[in-house]
Amino acid sequence: MARSMCWHCQSEVAGEYFCERCVKVQPLSKEQDYFTCLGLPRLLTIDATGLENKFYEMSRSFHPDFYQTKTDTERTISLGNSALLNTAYRTLKDPIQRAEYLVRLEAGAVKEIRNQPPADLFEEILSLQDDLEEFRAADGQPSADLTALRTKLQTDREALERRQQDMESRLFDLFETWDRLQRQFEPTEAIRAKKESVLKEMRELLSNRTYVRNIINDLVATVG
Amino acid sequence: MARIVGIDLGTTNSLIAYMDGKTPTVVPGRNGRTMVPSVVAMTDNGLIVGDAAKEHLVRNPERTIYSVKRFMGKGLADVQSEVPYFPYTLQEQGGVIRIRIGDKSYSPPQISAMILKELKQRAEAHLGESITKAVITVPAYFNDSQRQATKDAGMIAGLEVLRIINEPTAASLAYGLQERTQGTIAVYDLGGGTFDISILKLKNGIFEVLATNGDTHLGGDDLDRTIGDLFAKDIQEQYGIDINLHGDDMQSLRLEAERAKIRLSDDLKTSVTLNLPDGKSQYRRELTRDQLEELTLPLIERSLGPCRLALKDAGLTPADIDEVVLVGGSTRMPLVRQCVEGLFGKPPHSNLNPDEVVALGAAVQADILSGGTTDMLLLDVTPLSLGIETMGGVVSSLIRRNTTIPTSAKEMFTTYVDGQTSVDIHILQGERELARDNRSLARFQLKMPPLPAGVPRIEVTFLIDANGILNVSARDVRTGATQSVAVKPSYGLSDDEVEKMIGESFKFAAEDFKARQLIEARNEAEAILHATKKALGQGAHLLTGDDLAAIKSALTALDGARSTEDHKLIRTRIQDVEKVTHDFAELLMDTSLKEALQNKSLSEMTEPSEKA
Ligand SMILES: Nc1ncnc2c1ncn2[C@@H]1O[C@H](COP(=O)(O)OP(=O)(O)OP(=O)(O)O)[C@@H](O)[C@H]1O
Ligand SMILES: [Mg+2]
């Protein structure tokens, strides 16, 4: 844990929320990642109730409501800490956001996760988008063609939804693999390589999943 | 620390509450009522707020302002469809609506400040201390401009607004304190002007809002209009009179529609009478609860959409909700209860007084802020997504709706042209993809160091604080220098304007106090003169000649005093009148009581009881 000085009494602090000597609230380090912020190891399986309890407990330490009568500096720290805590909690609470965050955290230079269609669905998605365009262009004018098109698009949607579910269950399998590798005390070269490949697969799954998800949303919005 | 009060600044009614030990308590008025109608009348005798002002709605429609909350943080174009319903004149200046009264115009925060001052004075009189700090509630679905306008109103009223808190969440605090429940609750708040739904998780003193949604233009006012429109149509058809051309009669119609609606919450049918502007005809009709429900169902169903969206955002189904809590006067309507029960599949909770629960919760929040209550904590959310306009008018989202506040997002900006010295940024709030479909919040200009394109790096932090209000700051990443950002609100008063209004209100404060006493004395004088003359008209024959002469001379003296500037003299003359009319009043009371009783039995014989 990085050591620093209390902003108020200059005594040494090492990541405590409150200075041991003067009891003033300390700013959470902006550099620390969300897992560290919430006192968690960098694992993907998280106990929801435990996480929630930790979030509530930390909210009780930092929320601006409890700093109304304090100095301006303490109020600013409380605001910054709460904002960071809320973002950390929101990100880690949701498994998909959590995985995206971890992938970006572990990635070197390329932090962005681009949305791309699954390679094997590329052709299919192109033709689906054409159909969707045609459906929109018909502007609700009833016809036999339109009814057929609607049915087709609904079937496509169901297929995509199944695909999304498959991708998610594969993702959750990878959560366990990741956690197992992460728990190894002395990671060998082989383990490191394995972790890289898990991250790579997760990145691809996440990118495909978002892409598919967006198309499903489009379909729901247009066809119902 | 000085006491902090909690204020429910409602569309129709406002209340002020404080913590009496561990119990939140609403401050009662002199008449024992806890609600102050949110009505402001600018009479010839001066400013009147609350119950007394309500009487001026019909007498003085162009100078009596009600439902001003609907205009907070809005431009004229936002309320265009409502303008015909308001008898006072609306204008716009600098993106802010102004209400024109005589040769003066007032911004909505100034009018709200008048209501806040009335509440403040009420609390000061009750508690015997000066009040300077407050928590004020707003509909959860209020946007940034509307929240800021509410804060401005507090400042103009001489109050330091320590927190803006959402009405349904305030209600949940009062509910949680009283019922000590754990679990997931839905708070359904249908008031006079706005609708809110909030879904919360209550666990060990933490009140976590999971999702919120609503409609800031849906409430009892809209129901009254629908009913009023029906009456107006009848009147047009039967008498050929366009009631909307007559401000005072339009008000009578609106009030009669509201009263009928309220009666139909208990009764199955009711009769409506209205004197028409031609001075001779009277409109009469019967309205049944069935008719009312048929008329208002579409409006009430409009509240269910936001409920479903909130559930969806919270990732819950109706079955996950342990308790539904009703807040707001309009939830007394059986149809509302029925619709809510239909959606959530369980009868709503109604042990709390729906009128007071928001103010009580605001007092609890005030107590948390002052360090009194330490075991409860509210974690609220921002109701609308926040973003900035990018190339092509598309919104780039920075903070999603239903994000727990406080929260912040950072965005890096650079230049596109060599030597470019500024970048314009447009902040928006809403859920749509195109900038023009969202609510413009503010614009600001980011200063850039004159460097080759792409080299400057200015990091802007958008922070939504615990009030749900946006704060913007900027920092040059290369130099570390911070830059002050002058944000220009699209629909709000500028800091200078608020400053000026505060100045005015302070300048007038001392005068106000004296003026107020004079106004109150004059109003009372007027009322007593009017009542006594009316009584003499009815019962002069009951008096001896001496008594009659004494009363008449006291009245003349009061009438004379009324035009002086001396409120003490007026008060003395009022007392004189009261003294000489004391016996007469009792005498009349007896006779009129008898008459009233006779009338009652008569009417009961002709009209059978309508109770359900
Ligand atoms: N018994 C009743 N039946 C039906 N409606 C009622 C009843 N009592 C009050 N109302 C309506 O409730 C509304 C006022 O409710 P309330 O005082 O909760 O609103 P508010 O807090 O002023 O408004 P808002 O919260 O929207 O700003 C009015 O429209 C009034 O007509
Ligand atoms: Mg209300």
Side-chain angles (χ1 to χ4, degrees):
Chain A
M1 189 53 74
R3 299 195 164 264
S4 55
M5 262 200 295
C6 166
W7 58 271
H8 182 69
C9 72
Q10 273 83 43
S11 59
E12 204 170 87
V13 285
E16 302 94 343
Y17 301 156
F18 300 92
C19 169
E20 274 173 8
R21 209 170 88 196
C22 70
V23 215
K24 296 279 183 204
V25 66
Q26 302 296 313
L28 292 172
S29 158
K30 295 279 175 293
E31 277 77 52
Q32 75 179 315
D33 67 72
Y34 299 161
F35 290 96
T36 319
C37 173
L38 283 156
L40 293 168
R42 223 177 260 194
L43 300 177
L44 283 172
T45 312
I46 294 183
D47 166 45
T49 312
L51 180 67
E52 183 181 84
N53 289 340
K54 178 76 185 171
F55 168 62
Y56 287 167
E57 180 198 315
M58 286 179 76
S59 294
R60 284 190 184 277
S61 299
F62 295 136
H63 197 278
D65 279 8
F66 301 131
Y67 289 83
Q68 194 66 49
T69 57
K70 302 281 165 61
T71 60
D72 279 354
T73 315
E74 285 162 286
R75 282 163 61 177
T76 309
I77 295 173
S78 133
L79 195 58
N81 284 4
S82 289
L84 175 64
L85 172 66
N86 287 335
T87 310
Y89 177 61
R90 183 177 63 251
T91 310
L92 296 194
K93 188 173 61 168
D94 175 60
I96 301 292
Q97 282 192 51
R98 184 192 311 151
E100 282 172 350
Y101 178 71
L102 181 100
V103 167
R104 276 197 304 250
L105 198 62
E106 294 282 338
V110 223
K111 300 241 185 259
E112 201 77 10
I113 302 177
R114 280 243 198 81
N115 299 338
Q116 274 166 346
D120 61 313
L121 288 189
F122 194 67
E123 300 289 320
E124 245 170 87
I125 285 176
L126 277 187
S127 92
L128 186 149
Q129 273 164 343
D130 284 345
D131 291 347
L132 204 55
E133 215 39 60
E134 194 185 324
F135 187 86
R136 282 206 189 102
D139 211 20
Q141 296 293 342
S143 72
D145 283 356
L146 197 69
T147 315
L149 197 56
R150 177 190 292 272
T151 316
K152 178 174 178 302
L153 285 170
Q154 273 161 351
T155 321
D156 287 346
R157 192 192 90 195
E158 283 157 19
L160 285 178
E161 277 169 347
R162 278 194 301 276
R163 179 64 181 246
Q164 185 192 337
Q165 273 168 18
D166 291 347
M167 288 192 284
E168 283 171 9
S169 53
R170 174 64 191 152
L171 196 62
F172 297 146
D173 286 345
L174 288 175
F175 278 22
E176 282 170 30
T177 319
W178 170 266
D179 290 357
R180 222 172 31 246
L181 295 166
Q182 198 55 346
R183 285 204 185 87
Q184 302 287 332
F185 277 116
E186 274 168 57
T188 60
E189 199 51 49
I191 286 178
R192 236 174 267 142
K194 185 90 212 308
K195 272 164 80 174
E196 274 311 310
S197 85
V198 171
L199 286 173
K200 187 158 169 284
E201 192 181 343
M202 283 205 288
R203 172 185 285 269
E204 196 167 303
L205 277 168
L206 288 166
S207 133
N208 295 345
R209 180 194 167 277
T210 311
Y211 194 94
V212 168
R213 185 73 235 148
N214 288 345
I215 295 191
I216 295 175
N217 285 343
D218 264 3
L219 281 168
V220 172
T222 337
V223 189
Chain B
M1 184 171 186
R3 186 195 292 278
I4 312 173
V5 292
I7 295 177
D8 173 2
L9 183 59
T11 310
T12 328
N13 299 298
S14 298
L15 301 90
I16 186 163
Y18 67 102
M19 215 56 171
D20 187 7
K22 286 277 145 215
T23 318
T25 311
V26 183
V27 177
R30 261 183 297 185
N31 55 5
R33 299 207 331 131
T34 52
M35 294 202 277
V36 176
S38 306
V39 182
V40 172
M42 317 253 179
T43 69
D44 290 337
N45 289 342
L47 182 72
I48 313 176
V49 179
D51 280 311
K54 227 178 150 176
E55 290 166 18
H56 286 264
L57 282 170
V58 177
R59 255 202 275 164
N60 223 341
E62 295 91 15
R63 306 175 65 89
T64 308
I65 305 162
Y66 64 95
S67 295
V68 72
K69 189 171 170 182
R70 291 180 92 109
F71 304 137
M72 294 284 271
K74 301 249 156 164
L76 197 54
D78 298 323
V79 297
Q80 212 43 264
S81 64
E82 297 191 62
V83 170
Y85 290 97
F86 290 99
Y88 40 88
T89 311
L90 297 173
Q91 301 172 330
E92 189 185 275
Q93 190 187 320
V96 177
I97 290 179
R98 312 280 160 150
I99 298 149
R100 179 127 203 120
I101 308 266
D103 54 1
K104 282 203 184 146
S105 76
Y106 302 86
S107 66
Q110 279 175 297
I111 303 291
S112 295
M114 295 168 187
I115 300 165
L116 289 173
K117 273 195 181 166
E118 174 73 24
L119 293 167
K120 177 174 171 289
Q121 276 156 358
R122 180 183 265 219
E124 284 172 341
H126 183 77
L127 296 167
E129 62 189 56
S130 107
I131 302 289
T132 55
K133 293 171 196 288
V135 169
I136 304 182
T137 65
V138 295
Y141 216 53
F142 252 23
N143 67 25
D144 189 270
S145 321
Q146 294 168 302
R147 284 166 199 267
Q148 193 60 58
T150 307
K151 228 179 150 183
D152 293 345
M155 282 165 72
I156 297 169
L159 288 168
E160 188 186 346
V161 183
L162 296 183
R163 179 59 53 81
I164 294 289
I165 138 171
N166 295 328
E167 285 157 13
T169 34
S172 80
L173 283 178
Y175 167 82
L177 186 71
Q178 190 171 324
E179 308 281 325
R180 291 277 155 208
T181 338
Q182 310 262 342
T184 309
I185 66 166
V187 181
Y188 179 103
D189 179 355
L190 190 63
T194 57
F195 167 66
D196 275 330
I197 176 81
S198 286
I199 294 173
L200 294 102
K201 183 165 176 175
L202 274 52
K203 189 174 159 187
N204 303 328
I206 300 266
F207 292 65
E208 186 191 4
V209 179
L210 302 177
T212 195
N213 211 301
D215 185 335
T216 54
H217 263 68
L218 177 60
D221 280 4
D222 302 274
L223 304 181
D224 302 345
R225 267 178 212 167
T226 314
I227 305 162
D229 285 348
L230 175 79
F231 296 168
K233 203 172 125 243
D234 274 0
I235 293 169
Q236 177 72 275
E237 278 167 10
Q238 292 170 24
Y239 303 90
I241 296 173
D242 182 356
I243 200 118
N244 291 332
L245 299 177
H246 307 265
D248 44 350
D249 298 287
M250 210 173 114
Q251 287 309 303
S252 308
L253 177 101
R254 184 176 70 85
L255 294 170
E256 186 60 23
E258 183 187 13
R259 282 191 294 263
K261 171 191 77 177
I262 291 177
R263 287 195 299 271
L264 288 174
S265 288
D266 292 319
D267 304 341
L268 289 176
K269 67 170 194 254
T270 191
S271 48
V272 178
T273 44
L274 199 69
N275 293 322
L276 294 179
D278 65 3
K280 49 184 204 287
S281 332
Q282 199 180 41
Y283 167 66
R284 285 167 163 278
R285 77 163 276 163
E286 196 168 75
L287 189 70
T288 66
R289 189 188 285 174
D290 284 344
Q291 286 168 330
L292 172 77
E293 297 191 340
E294 195 188 316
L295 216 53
T296 54
L297 183 67
L299 282 168
I300 292 166
E301 278 183 333
R302 236 171 74 195
S303 72
L304 300 180
C307 292
R308 292 192 191 95
L309 285 174
L311 278 169
K312 185 161 173 254
D313 279 354
L316 299 174
T317 64
D320 298 319
I321 304 294
D322 298 313
E323 190 85 71
V324 184
V325 180
L326 295 181
V327 181
S330 299
T331 61
R332 291 212 178 83
M333 279 182 77
L335 180 63
V336 172
R337 286 165 186 259
Q338 218 173 295
C339 286
V340 173
E341 180 166 351
L343 178 71
F344 290 98
K346 52 184 72 69
H349 179 99
S350 49
N351 292 354
L352 301 169
N353 178 340
D355 297 324
E356 293 183 356
V357 65
V358 171
L360 294 174
V364 175
Q365 179 65 33
D367 199 48
I368 296 174
L369 295 183
S370 52
T373 298
T374 52
D375 56 342
M376 289 163 85
L377 174 63
L378 185 59
L379 301 173
D380 218 323
V381 300
T382 179
L384 298 155
S385 300
L386 183 94
I388 46 177
E389 181 169 353
T390 58
M391 301 266 249
V394 175
V395 178
S396 152
S397 174
L398 293 171
I399 296 171
R400 290 270 302 154
R401 68 167 184 273
N402 291 322
T403 296
T404 307
I405 51 174
T407 189
S408 66
K410 288 185 179 17
E411 189 81 3
M412 199 72 79
F413 293 92
T414 187
T415 50
Y416 295 99
V417 184
D418 290 349
Q420 185 180 340
T421 54
S422 67
V423 169
D424 291 330
I425 295 173
H426 184 196
I427 314 173
L428 301 134
Q429 212 167 20
E431 311 309 320
R432 306 282 298 276
E433 282 183 23
L434 294 183
R436 64 176 149 86
D437 297 327
N438 287 296
R439 181 79 182 161
S440 170
L441 270 195
R443 293 172 191 271
F444 66 94
Q445 212 173 45
L446 209 54
K447 288 191 270 314
M448 291 284 175
L451 292 169
V455 176
R457 289 164 62 78
I458 306 287
E459 183 187 70
V460 178
T461 304
F462 300 85
L463 176 112
I464 298 183
D465 65 16
N467 302 307
I469 293 181
L470 177 68
N471 302 260
V472 182
S473 59
R475 192 175 66 94
D476 188 329
V477 179
R478 288 166 46 261
T479 63
T482 55
Q483 181 182 122
S484 73
V485 185
V487 174
K488 191 186 168 315
S490 310
Y491 296 93
L493 299 169
S494 68
D495 288 354
D496 287 350
E497 280 177 298
V498 174
E499 222 35 68
K500 200 172 134 235
M501 287 170 185
I502 296 172
E504 277 172 7
S505 106
F506 272 123
K507 197 171 76 208
F508 296 135
E511 286 173 36
D512 273 3
F513 186 68
K514 264 182 65 196
R516 186 186 161 85
Q517 289 187 308
L518 185 62
I519 290 164
E520 281 180 354
R522 278 183 180 160
N523 280 331
E524 216 163 296
E526 198 173 303
I528 211 166
L529 281 170
H530 181 73
T532 314
K533 281 180 188 155
K534 196 172 149 203
L536 283 178
Q538 286 174 356
H541 62 279
L542 300 167
L543 291 167
T544 66
D546 280 357
D547 285 346
L548 185 60
I551 292 176
K552 283 196 167 157
S553 94
L555 286 180
T556 316
L558 176 58
D559 204 16
R562 194 158 65 111
S563 48
T564 70
E565 300 283 311
D566 184 350
H567 73 267
K568 289 203 188 108
L569 179 72
I570 304 175
R571 290 265 171 220
T572 317
R573 293 290 171 258
I574 290 176
Q575 273 179 358
D576 292 347
V577 174
E578 276 173 348
K579 243 181 272 159
V580 293
T581 54
H582 181 261
D583 291 344
F584 180 44
E586 285 196 342
L587 207 67
L588 269 180
M589 189 91 90
D590 282 353
T591 35
S592 64
L593 210 62
K594 272 181 217 137
E595 278 168 22
L597 283 174
Q598 275 164 358
N599 278 345
K600 184 146 190 272
S601 50
L602 261 178
S603 69
E604 270 172 2
M605 276 172 6
T606 50
E607 237 178 294
S609 167
E610 290 169 359
K611 282 268 175 221

